[in-house]
Amino acid sequence: MTTPEPGLHPATIAVHAGRPPAVVDAPLNPPVVFASTYVGADPAGQGEVGYGRYGNPTWSALEQAVGELEGGSALAYASGMAAAHAALQLVPARGVLVLPRHCYLGVSSAAEERAARDGLQIRRVDVANAEEVIAAASGADLVWLESPTNPLMEVADLPTICGALAGVTTTLVDSTFATPLLQRPLDLGADLVLHSGTKFLSGHSDALLGVLVGRDSELLARLKGTRSLHGAAPGAMETYLVLRGLRTLPLRLTAAQANAQLLAERLAAHPGVTRVRYPGLPGDPGHAVAKRTMAGFGSLLSIELADGPTAVAFIQSVKLWVHATSLGGVESMLERRRRWAAELPTVPEGLVRLSVGVEHVEDLWTDLAQALERATPRDL
Ligand SMILES: *Cc1c(COP(=O)(O)O)cnc(C)c1O
């Protein structure tokens, strides 16, 4: 596996990391290795990999690339939730877990499941309040952060929080919304970074995958042991698709983020929209922290319409935007979060999350504007 020179820009690393050695007639891209098992070293022992659940050259290529981008070593999993589950296992029975008040719903549900089964104590915090998070971390086994959060777009002051907790307690940052390009939590003192590779890393809504990245070799060995044993291994094809998508992440994110900024500004000025949550807007509660701590504001935003029925009518009226529950793809997607029964009641009924893609921004705006026109009562 080739490793780019240190000091290269992330856009260059994304293109070059995790390629086979550049020798004559070698393929430019890592081969997709479909293997459930590998030839053993000798009758008494085993090779370095041994079996398909323990390792795969295609995983190694993706892990190399994501590891380079985050500044650590990566482990690939079958999905973001498989990675999340593996990380949640770091909390022992009756242990203490600090969890954001709002976070990815699957993570929240998986944590609640462990609380019910294993007596975990969950301390819910507002990630935007660094003091509250740091205070709650006292005696915790794992501090789980997500920033920006799903779907309220709250922004955590990661340099302050991760700096204060470094060496004190294990801290994980679900950085799915930010991608490795907008923040690098390991540099700030976090122990683990989680990505749902299903989203921005893949970018094409065609593969499920998760990643954990860290620097502590003991912690990584423990996680790798659990992955080998519990079997949350990604498919070789999915891994390849995510690596292929990763090559264009910088281009996709730049385009999507520019679209998101313009759409957020126009939506904020629209009389049918009650509120826009996007850290790129100067009036947003997360703006100052995001501006100081992130390299960009990302391509996700949430809007609030008058009520649930208005949001439903709005979604029924879009023609180009895709109604779907994922995010981070080249296709612009939206959904009303409260359509999920488990979504928290603190998420407004009329909130619609928008994952802005890379289409031409005027086409995206035209579609949103006509849908708002149809959905919002004229006298607003
Ligand atoms: C999608 C997502 C996950 C879960 O990832 P899957 O690949 O769907 O299992 C975790 N965290 C965040 C922030 C996500 O958006």
Side-chain angles (χ1 to χ4, degrees):
M1 215 61 62
T2 57
T3 302
E5 297 296 314
L8 290 173
H9 292 87
T12 309
I13 295 173
V15 172
H16 287 281
R19 292 189 183 273
V23 297
V24 177
D25 284 341
L28 249 67
N29 289 295
V32 189
V33 179
F34 295 108
S36 64
T37 192
Y38 303 90
V39 176
D42 63 67
Q46 57 174 42
E48 261 183 39
V49 186
Y51 187 61
R53 200 167 359 95
Y54 308 155
N56 176 294
T58 316
W59 304 356
S60 303
L62 176 71
E63 290 170 347
Q64 177 75 37
V66 178
E68 292 278 339
L69 285 171
E70 283 291 358
S73 298
L75 289 169
Y77 290 85
S79 66
M81 280 312 298
H85 176 76
L88 286 172
Q89 296 311 304
L90 296 171
V91 185
R94 288 173 299 286
V96 176
L97 171 68
V98 174
L99 201 64
R101 181 177 63 170
H102 300 116
C103 64
Y104 184 73
L105 202 50
V107 169
S108 185
S109 305
E112 295 294 349
E113 195 184 87
R114 282 222 56 212
R117 196 184 57 214
D118 299 330
L120 249 60
Q121 184 196 331
I122 300 179
R123 296 181 187 156
R124 293 276 184 170
V125 291
D126 173 4
V127 291
N129 185 338
E131 272 175 35
E132 186 187 328
V133 177
I134 294 165
S138 170
D141 294 283
L142 178 65
V143 175
W144 190 287
L145 300 168
E146 181 177 309
S147 186
T149 63
N150 177 49
L152 295 186
M153 303 303 298
E154 298 145 317
V155 181
D157 182 342
L158 293 181
T160 300
I161 299 171
C162 298
L165 302 182
V168 178
T169 179
T170 307
T171 307
L172 175 147
V173 178
D174 183 339
S175 206
T176 299
F177 278 29
T179 82
L181 303 177
L182 302 185
Q183 64 195 14
R184 294 224 314 179
L186 300 179
D187 288 345
L188 308 172
D191 298 283
L192 289 171
V193 173
L194 183 146
H195 286 286
S196 167
T198 310
K199 315 290 171 54
F200 287 97
L201 306 188
S202 144
H204 294 76
S205 309
D206 53 8
L208 278 174
L209 191 128
V211 188
L212 286 176
V213 200
R215 286 182 182 167
D216 180 337
S217 50
E218 233 169 84
L219 179 60
L220 290 165
R222 192 172 150 198
L223 288 165
K224 190 174 179 184
T226 312
R227 182 184 65 177
S228 297
L229 186 65
H230 293 196
M237 193 66 210
E238 277 76 5
T239 311
Y240 183 80
L241 286 172
V242 175
L243 180 58
R244 194 185 209 271
L246 187 68
R247 302 299 185 206
T248 55
L249 172 64
L251 290 171
R252 288 185 282 107
L253 186 65
T254 303
Q257 188 170 252
N259 283 352
Q261 181 72 40
L262 190 60
L263 293 178
E265 287 165 10
R266 290 188 186 176
L267 287 162
H270 195 286
V273 178
T274 314
R275 178 172 177 182
V276 178
R277 295 171 187 262
Y278 181 63
L281 293 177
D284 190 84
H287 181 69
V289 173
K291 198 170 174 197
R292 176 163 52 81
T293 65
M294 298 174 72
F297 302 114
S299 61
L300 278 146
L301 57 112
S302 288
I303 60 174
E304 284 171 37
L305 304 184
D307 48 29
T310 308
V312 169
F314 167 68
I315 289 169
Q316 283 169 339
S317 304
V318 294
K319 294 173 181 149
L320 183 63
W321 287 70
V322 183
H323 180 220
T325 193
S326 197
L327 55 99
V330 290
E331 324 80 358
S332 290
M333 282 176 238
L334 46 65
E335 74 163 335
R336 188 176 81 89
R337 287 300 307 173
R338 285 295 294 279
R339 75 185 168 113
W340 302 100
E343 186 57 276
L344 295 178
T346 42
V347 172
E349 283 281 357
L351 181 137
V352 179
R353 186 186 67 197
L354 277 64
S355 172
V356 182
V358 302
E359 301 94 331
H360 196 288
V361 71
E362 294 303 339
D363 293 332
L364 294 176
W365 172 247
T366 302
D367 192 30
L368 290 180
Q370 67 80 23
L372 281 169
E373 192 71 20
R374 275 166 182 259
T376 359
R378 265 259 156 240
D379 54 334
L380 257 178

